[in-house]
Amino acid sequence: NAGVMQNPRHLVRRRGQEARLRCSPVKGHSHVYWYRQLPEEGLKFMVYLQKENIIDESGMPKERFSAEFPKEGPSILRIQQVVRGDSAAYFCASSPMVGQRSSGNTIYFGEGSWLTVV
Amino acid sequence: GQQLNQSPQSMFIQEGEDVSMNCTSSSIFNTWLWYKQDPGEGPVLLIALYKAGELTSNGRLTAQFGITRKDSFLNISASIPSDVGIYFCAGRTEYGNKLVFGAGTILRVKS
């Protein structure tokens, strides 16, 4: 996983509570991505952020979900008023840059945060 | 939106056999990546391809970036039990800023 750190690894929340998932990218990487994976499915893009900016949030549900990547500290994916359908693995990934035909175009993933809503 | 079609969906093979899986896209990509995911873990990068026609190996794994820039394949030679897992292809268009993933190929190996 090349140094992308996610926590918590496992999180249990009751319906209606809030879930906060944290991601520290590889040192020196300024691009962070969040993906969601439902059981036995592929990874679905949620949001792409650079420091202090949301670049592409086309995969984010319109309500209850938000993401940030502040100037200092980890990226946070926040899910408010969780429902059972939010139960999934949430993966964070990072890369140093985009748009170049080089290793800068490669994205490395963390080990994921497994959210269970009961 | 961009879609990747990955096949086969699953494979159950004998140890020692070679494996081949592929992905096709409706869009032209400038990057193809192949990942493996074990249960309860995140995807681990296996091979990265950045140029049409590029053929790259990583041990028993070989992947190619199709000439049309709309497809890629991954081959695993002489499979072993630890090859078991889910293999994902992923691609990014020249002006895209996110990876699009295939649905995955589940590989099971009989020893």
Side-chain angles (χ1 to χ4, degrees):
Chain A
N1 62 17
V4 178
M5 304 301 294
Q6 288 187 248
N7 70 83
R9 287 295 310 277
H10 298 275
L11 182 64
V12 179
R13 284 287 178 265
R14 295 186 186 279
R15 280 178 294 171
Q17 290 185 320
E18 178 180 287
R20 280 187 179 229
L21 309 177
R22 286 175 289 279
C23 169
S24 295
V26 173
K27 190 175 179 182
H29 286 192
S30 56
H31 300 251
V32 164
Y33 311 77
W34 285 94
Y35 284 79
R36 177 163 64 176
Q37 186 177 37
L38 295 172
E40 306 202 3
E41 291 191 11
L43 292 100
K44 297 285 191 261
F45 170 79
M46 298 181 74
V47 62
Y48 161 48
L49 311 103
Q50 294 180 26
K51 285 281 187 183
E52 300 184 277
N53 287 305
I54 296 175
I55 306 302
D56 182 346
E57 56 182 348
S58 57
M60 287 278 270
K62 296 287 184 248
E63 297 176 347
R64 303 188 297 107
F65 284 71
S66 63
E68 62 177 15
F69 188 18
K71 188 176 180 182
E72 301 290 338
S75 175
I76 306 284
L77 178 68
R78 183 181 176 207
I79 311 172
Q80 294 177 289
Q81 299 172 337
V82 297
V83 300
R84 288 229 170 100
D86 297 332
S87 296
Y90 292 84
F91 289 97
C92 171
S94 73
S95 69
M97 62 189 73
V98 294
Q100 295 187 10
R101 294 187 179 184
S102 69
S103 60
N105 225 353
T106 300
I107 295 180
Y108 296 94
F109 282 82
E111 293 194 335
S113 290
W114 268 256
L115 172 65
T116 302
V117 179
V118 297
Chain B
Q2 299 152 7
Q3 288 191 335
L4 285 185
N5 295 310
Q6 184 171 351
S7 65
Q9 189 174 10
S10 65
M11 304 178 77
F12 194 13
I13 62 168
Q14 191 70 40
E15 182 178 357
E17 286 184 1
D18 296 344
V19 171
S20 186
M21 58 192 80
N22 69 82
C23 272
T24 59
S25 165
S26 56
S27 304
I28 290 176
F29 283 177
N30 78 336
T31 301
W32 283 98
L33 304 172
W34 285 91
Y35 292 87
K36 182 189 178 207
Q37 186 178 26
D38 291 325
E41 303 292 334
V44 174
L45 182 66
L46 298 174
I47 293 180
L49 303 159
Y50 302 106
K51 193 172 156 183
E54 182 179 356
L55 183 72
T56 298
S57 293
N58 177 8
R60 293 178 295 107
L61 277 61
T62 302
Q64 184 158 30
F65 192 142
I67 290 291
T68 64
R69 297 171 67 192
K70 289 186 175 184
D71 64 319
S72 177
F73 72 75
L74 174 71
N75 286 343
I76 305 172
S77 62
S79 57
I80 59 178
S82 62
D83 290 334
V84 165
I86 306 176
Y87 291 79
F88 291 101
C89 63
R92 180 154 59 189
T93 60
E94 187 159 6
Y95 301 106
N97 51 33
K98 60 181 183 280
L99 280 181
V100 177
F101 278 81
T105 296
I106 300 171
L107 178 63
R108 298 185 181 91
V109 179
K110 285 184 287 188
S111 49

